[in-house]
Amino acid sequence: MSAWRQAGLNYINYSSIAARLLRQALKADLRTEAAKRNDSHIRITKWEAGKPIKSSEF
Amino acid sequence: MAALRSMSRLLMNRNLSTTIKRGYAEDMSFTFASGNQVFYDGQNVRQVDVPSFSGSFGILPKHVPTLAVLKPGVVSVYENEGNVKKIFVSSGTVTINDDSSVQILAEEAHPVENIDAAAARDLLSKAQSQFSSAANEQAKAEAEIAIEVSEALVKAAE
Amino acid sequence: MLGRFGPVVTFVAHNGPIQQHQRGMATLKSISIRLKSVKNIQKITQSMKMVSAAKYARAERDLKQVKPIGNGAKQFYEKAEIDAPTDVPQKLVIAITSDRGLCGAVHTSVVRHIRTELGKDDVNVKVVCVGDKSRAILSRTFGKNIILACNEVGRLPPTFTDASKLADAVLKSEYKFGAGEIVYNKFKSVVSYQTSTLPVYSLQSVAAAPKLSIYDSLDDEVIQSYLEFSLASLLFYSLKEGACSEQSSRMTAMDNASKNATEMIDKLTLAFNRTRQAVITRELIEIISGASAL
């Protein structure tokens, strides 16, 4: 098993880290446009028994 | 890397002669799309080399069906006209189906020439210091991934 | 005959205009107020249409880029002929909507699909609501089935990072499901969309697929990573399809609203002019009859 999976990460986490780094390693003129794809606005709330339990950021 | 390249060149040469012999019976429907760009959409190419967690491998038409998970690195696409395109992928999946269709899906992908070598080296040193200051298991694993990715970036930008 | 009816006619003639006169003035004012408000509404719907037209153009361009990802991610599921496992009845449904309304029936048609699903079995089905709209409708009747709710969807175009966050949250929700589906609106053309589903499978159901043996050298970790990334890709694709359908539907809805407003403005303008003419005529009659009485 990969070290990162043992540490509680999944491939989605791995992929986000890798993609973010690739965007930062681009030539300066492409970097700003690519950095927009780092952004995420979505907010996720856990629900239990018909009510939101806490507004945690994932 | 160099060894792989020469290997794939060998493979390519072999494939070249076989394509001439067998004509276009062995078409490969190749799709390569990332979150930022579509590189190929159902096009016919000669060969594709991909970096994966189970090792780098070349895909020729009629490859045995398989699934693989991409490792950060360079995907080389040998087009029918003889051009070789080198594209750096962050991560993603490779699917080879039994009908000889191949899909590479990546979160982020850019031609190698768009990578800034200096920026890649900066990222590598940042990742290394991040690793030495990592406080817990998870931060350490994240830093390890960062090192792996930036090493691949530095190598690709050379 | 005339003598008998004479006073009655004069009575009407004297009394009528005064009453009508007052009513005429009132309607004239109320018509102009209504006319003004309808014109303002039309301005709003027209600018909303312009905004969504611009957003739609971008969403459609984005969608073209994402289509190969969606199709590619589906390929394996279709070609490996994976079925939902029979021993794990738990199902997951992900509703792709947004926070914003005024876009026709895009959100309700997604919710309707899920409601029929929940109507069949509301014990083993859990729902992830993406967008305030689906949450608002479903929480009333099926609140206990919701495990995750997301908002801040639809204001800006969705990114892969959004989809990753969502997929990560679904995987870390500790809800063990055998199979599931993403319910979203598939964009067909500017005037039509179709509520469709995409499959989501667990590691067990994929590992149990009979056709998996033709795939070479697979271990569980590869399949697991593969499925994780596929979930993110499929969510990314469905978010884009949903955003495109929503914008095009809002554009059509606002276009219709503007057209209806134009129709109303025409009718009201006509009524306004008629009434104004009637008032003028009446005033003239009054003046003339007053002058002839002298």
Side-chain angles (χ1 to χ4, degrees):
Chain A
M1 201 159 47
S2 322
W4 44 266
R5 198 177 282 282
Q6 258 158 352
L9 297 176
N10 57 30
Y11 190 64
I12 298 172
N13 306 134
Y14 183 101
S15 181
S16 310
I17 297 171
R20 194 176 294 259
L21 285 167
L22 173 54
R23 288 174 197 132
Q24 286 167 2
L26 290 174
K27 294 213 165 123
D29 51 327
L30 300 162
R31 216 178 293 160
T32 29
E33 182 59 38
K36 285 183 194 159
R37 286 190 294 275
N38 286 334
D39 298 345
S40 166
H41 308 279
I42 205 166
R43 285 191 39 188
I44 302 165
T45 319
K46 273 196 177 179
W47 277 54
E48 216 165 76
K51 279 186 277 307
I53 45 172
K54 62 173 182 198
S55 73
S56 57
E57 279 281 328
F58 275 91
Chain B
M1 196 61 197
L4 175 82
R5 231 174 258 155
S6 61
M7 258 297 282
S8 52
R9 208 163 289 143
L10 266 174
L11 281 168
M12 184 190 77
N13 288 341
R14 198 199 61 195
N15 186 47
L16 188 66
S17 53
T18 49
T19 8
I20 293 163
K21 241 183 275 167
R22 297 186 206 161
Y24 288 99
E26 293 189 359
D27 285 355
M28 154 155 81
S29 163
F30 178 58
T31 303
F32 183 178
S34 73
N36 56 305
Q37 199 184 337
V38 177
F39 293 92
Y40 297 89
D41 188 6
Q43 266 144 284
N44 185 17
V45 297
R46 202 181 285 151
Q47 187 194 334
V48 187
D49 290 345
V50 293
S52 89
F53 276 106
S54 22
S56 298
F57 63 101
I59 306 164
L60 293 167
K62 291 237 164 133
H63 190 286
V64 58
T66 190
L67 304 178
V69 182
L70 286 173
K71 212 179 147 115
V74 179
V75 170
S76 309
V77 184
Y78 299 85
E79 292 178 349
N80 278 350
E81 295 77 30
N83 300 330
V84 183
K85 278 231 178 94
K86 293 196 175 292
I87 299 157
F88 192 94
V89 290
S90 64
S91 46
T93 57
V94 184
T95 317
I96 305 169
N97 294 299
D98 56 355
D99 58 357
S100 215
S101 67
V102 177
Q103 285 102 32
I104 297 183
L105 307 178
E107 175 157 354
E108 188 88 14
H110 291 277
V112 247
E113 54 272 20
N114 290 349
I115 298 171
D116 188 306
R121 276 193 294 273
D122 275 359
L123 287 174
L124 180 57
S125 56
K126 235 186 266 169
Q128 276 156 347
S129 64
Q130 192 190 329
F131 180 74
S132 48
S133 64
N136 57 31
E137 230 9 53
Q138 195 170 327
K140 214 168 163 183
E142 281 173 10
E144 258 172 1
I145 298 169
I147 292 175
E148 200 179 338
V149 179
S150 36
E151 271 174 354
L153 279 164
V154 170
K155 205 191 258 174
E158 270 168 10
Chain C
M1 271 287 264
L2 249 174
R4 226 187 312 147
F5 282 99
V8 184
V9 173
T10 43
F11 172 75
V12 172
H14 278 286
N15 209 14
I18 302 158
Q19 272 186 344
Q20 260 191 3
H21 188 79
Q22 282 169 341
R23 214 191 302 145
M25 280 304 276
T27 25
L28 206 55
K29 189 143 191 239
S30 72
I31 288 173
S32 80
I33 290 169
R34 277 191 70 191
L35 198 55
K36 219 173 173 179
S37 84
V38 174
K39 275 183 179 161
N40 281 334
I41 291 170
Q42 194 192 30
K43 266 184 213 152
I44 295 167
T45 56
Q46 260 170 352
S47 55
M48 276 184 81
K49 190 206 152 194
M50 296 300 277
V51 170
S52 49
K55 283 193 177 171
Y56 158 73
R58 170 145 191 220
E60 204 206 355
R61 210 170 52 232
D62 283 358
L63 182 61
K64 264 191 202 132
Q65 291 283 309
V66 180
K67 274 231 155 95
I69 294 188
N71 292 333
K74 271 192 300 199
Q75 292 286 314
F76 169 65
Y77 292 143
E78 282 167 9
K79 287 182 178 153
E81 293 166 13
I82 299 163
D83 283 319
T86 43
D87 51 332
V88 191
Q90 278 83 4
K91 270 195 81 179
L92 177 77
V93 179
I94 303 174
I96 305 290
T97 60
S98 88
D99 293 357
R100 310 197 148 199
L102 292 176
C103 48
V106 273
H107 301 322
T108 35
S109 76
V110 167
V111 172
R112 202 181 304 130
H113 183 104
I114 293 168
R115 229 193 247 146
T116 31
E117 198 102 332
L118 285 166
K120 275 183 265 168
D121 177 9
D122 66 348
V123 184
N124 290 321
V125 180
K126 295 279 183 229
V127 186
V128 173
C129 291
V130 181
D132 277 342
K133 287 287 162 188
S134 57
R135 196 214 60 215
I137 309 172
L138 284 172
S139 64
R140 252 178 274 145
T141 38
F142 295 103
K144 59 183 185 347
N145 295 73
I146 299 175
I147 52 165
L148 288 172
C150 314
N151 56 359
E152 289 296 308
V153 188
R155 201 159 49 84
L156 292 156
T159 60
F160 201 99
T161 318
D162 284 331
S164 297
K165 251 169 115 175
L166 185 56
D168 191 34
V170 169
L171 292 170
K172 289 187 177 152
S173 69
E174 279 151 23
Y175 175 59
K176 299 272 169 284
F177 56 93
E181 59 185 13
I182 301 171
V183 184
Y184 69 107
N185 286 308
K186 192 181 169 79
F187 173 76
K188 286 174 84 179
S189 72
V190 191
V191 287
S192 70
Y193 56 87
Q194 191 178 26
T195 306
S196 322
T197 59
L198 283 170
V200 175
Y201 293 107
S202 62
L203 181 62
Q204 299 95 297
S205 53
V206 171
K211 268 192 93 180
L212 196 75
S213 54
I214 63 160
Y215 286 85
D216 189 37
S217 62
L218 290 183
D219 56 52
D220 276 2
E221 202 190 344
V222 169
I223 302 177
Q224 196 178 349
S225 299
Y226 185 92
L227 290 177
E228 285 165 356
F229 192 82
S230 288
L231 178 62
S233 319
L234 287 174
L235 283 172
F236 180 52
Y237 167 69
S238 51
L239 281 171
K240 287 280 188 203
E241 285 272 10
C244 194
S245 309
E246 183 191 324
Q247 295 302 349
S248 73
S249 175
R250 177 170 298 123
M251 198 170 78
T252 331
M254 288 301 120
D255 192 38
N256 285 339
S258 305
K259 266 187 207 145
N260 289 344
T262 313
E263 223 168 86
M264 252 173 106
I265 288 168
D266 285 350
K267 273 188 190 153
L268 284 171
T269 317
L270 193 68
F272 180 82
N273 286 341
R274 275 215 184 118
T275 318
R276 195 189 53 184
Q277 196 58 55
V279 171
I280 293 167
T281 316
R282 244 180 349 253
E283 276 169 359
L284 277 174
I285 289 170
E286 272 167 32
I287 294 164
I288 293 163
S289 51
S292 63
L294 283 174

